Amino acid sequence: MKKTLLVSALLICSKFAVLSQNVDEKLFSIKGKWILDDKKNVTIQRVIEAPFLSKEDIYNRALNFFAYHYIEENIKIINADKSQGLVVARGVFENLHNNCRGWHAIKIDVKDGKARILVTLTEYQYPKNISSDGVFNTWAHSKVSDEIPVNAKGSKYVYWGNTFYSFFTTATSLVDSFEIAVKEGNTSKEIESSSW
């Protein structure tokens, strides 16, 4: 009996060690690719050069970007100011890791020939209670700054490490898509430039 318990404990420990190592590798691969703002929110920033486009063209592509990359209930444009060349939105990514959601803010600044996008990862929303039919009936919230890796003393290393990695890579993919939308349009160069 003691031998069985010891073997079980060793298997659990080794499984956790493998999971932790996997998370360590993931977090190491994205180290230095994000910054913290004054409120300890994680921010991804990119400046996109589009030298042959006017401020108005880039602004229109930025606004159209949301229609192509979000469904309505997952994004809300808070401010769209053409004269300032500014678009601010709040959105959510679904199903990051273990049904966790990731709330984020997007700020886009445009001027002739360039755009800057900031995606700020602000909050997790995760299932707290599941009903007998498997539906989440209560959601809990946690600030990104309270969890791993921003808060090195955060709990649930494997869970939050994987969730952060998923949140970060999803946001980075969004930034990549935005860069393509600015440079090439939201559909394709051929379709965007065709006469009708």
Side-chain angles (χ1 to χ4, degrees):
M1 178 70 166
K2 287 182 183 180
K3 200 174 196 179
T4 304
L5 287 174
L6 179 61
V7 169
S8 296
L10 287 173
L11 287 173
I12 290 169
C13 288
S14 65
K15 183 178 179 182
F16 183 75
V18 168
L19 291 173
S20 293
Q21 182 180 9
N22 188 0
V23 171
D24 289 341
E25 291 169 3
K26 287 178 180 178
L27 295 178
F28 183 77
S29 73
I30 61 173
K31 189 175 183 174
K33 296 181 180 178
W34 48 272
I35 57 174
L36 292 178
D37 68 13
D38 294 342
K39 295 180 182 176
K40 292 191 175 183
N41 291 314
V42 172
T43 301
I44 301 158
Q45 173 181 245
R46 187 174 303 166
V47 174
I48 297 132
E49 301 288 335
F52 301 107
L53 294 174
S54 69
K55 176 181 174 180
E56 183 177 352
D57 289 336
I58 297 172
Y59 179 83
N60 289 334
R61 286 182 179 189
L63 273 183
N64 292 337
F65 170 79
F66 293 105
Y68 284 91
H69 293 280
Y70 281 92
I71 56 174
E72 189 174 333
E73 60 265 12
N74 288 356
I75 193 73
K76 181 178 182 183
I77 295 177
I78 308 295
N79 185 7
D81 187 329
K82 192 173 192 173
S83 65
Q84 295 283 323
L86 174 69
V87 180
V88 178
R90 179 136 168 88
V92 63
F93 297 133
E94 301 281 350
N95 299 316
L96 293 176
H97 175 73
N98 288 342
N99 297 306
C100 189
R101 297 173 176 165
W103 287 92
H104 55 282
I106 302 169
K107 180 181 179 197
I108 299 170
D109 298 297
V110 302
K111 53 185 170 181
D112 286 337
K114 64 173 60 178
R116 179 178 68 162
I117 183 170
L118 298 150
V119 180
T120 302
L121 315 180
T122 58
E123 183 179 63
Y124 298 115
Q125 185 179 25
Y126 55 96
K128 186 174 180 182
N129 293 321
I130 302 173
S131 66
S132 59
D133 60 354
V135 176
F136 306 119
N137 56 20
T138 307
W139 292 88
H141 299 265
S142 183
K143 293 177 72 174
V144 172
S145 60
D146 290 341
E147 306 301 345
I148 298 292
V150 179
N151 178 6
K153 295 180 181 179
S155 64
K156 300 180 182 176
Y157 182 80
V158 171
Y159 178 83
W160 289 117
N162 279 317
T163 304
F164 180 83
Y165 180 80
S166 181
F167 200 178
F168 175 84
T169 55
T170 302
T172 301
S173 178
L174 181 82
V175 171
D176 293 342
S177 295
F178 178 73
E179 182 169 3
I180 292 167
V182 168
K183 291 180 175 179
E184 300 175 15
N186 287 286
T187 54
S188 71
K189 284 182 182 182
E190 185 178 312
I191 293 171
E192 295 270 334
S193 63
S194 66
S195 59
W196 46 279

